[in-house]
Amino acid sequence: MHSTHLLLEEPIRMASILEPSKPTFFPAMTKIVGTLGPKSRSVEIISGCLKAGMSVARFDFSWGDTEYHQETLENLKMAVKSTKKLCAVMLDTVGPELQVVNKSEKPILLQESAHVVLTPDQDEEASSELLPINFTGLAKAVNKGDTIFIGQYLFTGSETTSVWLEVAEVKGEDVVCMIKNSATLAGSLFTLHVSQIRIELPTLTDKDKEVISTWGVRNNIDFISLSYTRHAEDVRHARDFLSKLGDLQQTQIFAKIENVEGLKHFDEILQEADGIILSRGNLGIDLPPEKASILNFVK
């Protein structure tokens, strides 16, 4: 880990590696990545995570702006100094993630067997009958009978906070869906996932590039989690982009496999990436249950 920003107050003595190991010493064989979110961003909580073994802090840019994440990172630096526990920084990109936009943040009640329209018109207000989305090409990508999942988090374990839809018809740029289970969507953004449908969006989006070239460069990040990696070319493109950012030439890329397309090209992706992340939540939507369960045994 090459970051020069999260240093200990007192440098480690290099000569200490020559000293005999203590009888109770066991090298850490497993690295723990912890996501720093709204409930885990205080110095106190982060310090507790570091003491418990967190060695990489993940910053998820699918929500929150750079100022918000910078405040969290400053808290991480203070926690590192107080605990004297080193910790690397991982930037998790948004990628071609589809989202329902609820500007009013009012809860949206969806009733089983009713119909709801997904529209790319983000000026519309989200309601039980209409859900604005951040993608204009959905109508061209889906067909009648396709399955769509919407939720604030994938697989919350509760049917009341996420919903399954079935495409009933396509009207222009709008997609009319039948609601398969009653649910209440609460919050400003919800992930939208279309099972086994390719979305024609770049893996490294313009928004991702802006965050990496500003927040990422400023903080000399150690790792990038490349969301929705589908081909080895996605990793090569990201590495080429990093190579032009000076200090980030050595930043490692972890390819995040989140759909069937990524699984099909797993071997070639593995050759290009520095590491692999299997997003079992998203993969569980793309795969049959009996196939998704196998992911629990993949190492």
Side-chain angles (χ1 to χ4, degrees):
M1 301 175 188
H2 68 280
S3 176
T4 59
H5 290 266
L6 300 181
L7 295 178
L8 301 178
E9 287 181 328
E10 298 179 4
I12 298 173
R13 294 185 307 108
M14 294 305 294
S16 65
I17 64 174
L18 302 176
E19 299 172 0
S21 298
K22 297 180 181 179
T24 57
F25 173 77
F26 292 95
M29 303 301 291
T30 300
K31 306 301 181 185
I32 299 175
V33 181
T35 301
L36 301 186
K39 295 185 179 180
S40 58
R41 66 192 299 256
S42 68
V43 176
E44 180 182 4
I45 296 296
I46 296 175
S47 297
C49 292
L50 293 173
K51 292 175 182 177
M54 183 179 75
S55 51
V56 180
R58 171 177 171 265
F59 292 79
D60 184 0
F61 274 84
S62 62
W63 57 270
D65 56 23
T66 54
E67 291 184 6
Y68 181 88
H69 288 296
Q70 188 63 42
E71 290 176 3
T72 306
L73 182 54
E74 296 303 323
N75 289 344
L76 172 62
K77 292 178 182 179
M78 287 188 279
V80 165
K81 289 182 179 179
S82 65
T83 62
K84 293 182 171 57
K85 301 285 187 181
L86 287 173
C87 186
V89 173
M90 173 181 283
L91 187 160
D92 197 318
T93 64
V94 178
E97 181 175 270
L98 306 188
Q99 296 175 331
V100 174
V101 181
N102 180 19
K103 293 180 180 179
S104 70
E105 299 192 22
K106 295 179 181 178
I108 302 170
L109 177 62
L110 300 176
Q111 293 286 355
E112 183 179 355
S113 299
H115 286 79
V116 65
V117 177
L118 305 180
T119 178
D121 186 355
Q122 295 186 47
D123 290 331
E124 294 283 354
E125 184 173 341
S127 68
S128 300
E129 294 78 33
L130 189 69
L131 297 177
I133 63 175
N134 65 342
F135 180 50
T136 58
L138 184 64
K140 295 180 180 179
V142 300
N143 296 298
K144 183 177 180 179
D146 283 344
T147 299
I148 297 175
F149 173 91
I150 296 176
Q152 191 169 18
Y153 304 99
L154 299 186
F155 285 121
T156 61
S158 172
E159 290 186 356
T160 62
T161 59
S162 55
V163 66
W164 290 94
L165 307 175
E166 182 179 307
V167 176
E169 62 176 315
V170 174
K171 291 184 175 180
E173 292 188 328
D174 294 343
V175 178
V176 182
C177 300
M178 175 180 286
I179 301 168
K180 305 299 288 185
N181 66 279
S182 297
T184 300
L185 303 179
S188 58
L189 290 173
F190 319 104
T191 299
L192 183 152
H193 188 100
V194 187
S195 182
Q196 299 197 33
I197 297 296
R198 175 171 174 79
I199 301 301
E200 296 295 337
L201 289 172
T203 299
L204 195 64
T205 65
D206 289 341
K207 179 181 178 181
D208 292 327
K209 291 180 178 179
E210 181 182 357
V211 169
I212 293 170
S213 59
T214 54
W215 190 88
V217 170
R218 174 183 175 185
N219 296 294
N220 198 17
I221 56 174
D222 302 282
F223 303 108
I224 282 182
S225 171
L226 189 62
S227 295
Y228 295 94
T229 302
R230 294 165 285 188
H231 297 270
E233 180 59 31
D234 296 336
V235 182
R236 289 192 288 267
H237 175 71
R239 202 176 300 282
D240 179 65
F241 178 72
L242 291 177
S243 69
K244 301 173 183 177
L245 297 178
D247 290 342
L248 297 192
Q249 291 183 17
Q250 302 302 315
T251 298
Q252 294 190 359
I253 299 174
F254 277 54
K256 200 172 179 183
I257 309 298
E258 308 196 52
N259 53 30
V260 167
E261 190 173 2
L263 277 182
K264 287 179 178 177
H265 301 98
F266 182 90
D267 290 339
E268 66 180 59
I269 293 171
L270 184 61
Q271 295 299 315
E272 294 291 334
D274 297 298
I276 297 286
I277 298 173
L278 292 176
S279 181
R280 291 177 293 177
N282 280 338
L283 284 169
I285 294 174
D286 253 16
L287 297 171
E290 68 275 12
K291 297 293 185 181
S293 62
I294 298 175
L295 296 172
N296 292 317
F297 303 98
V298 175
K299 295 184 180 180

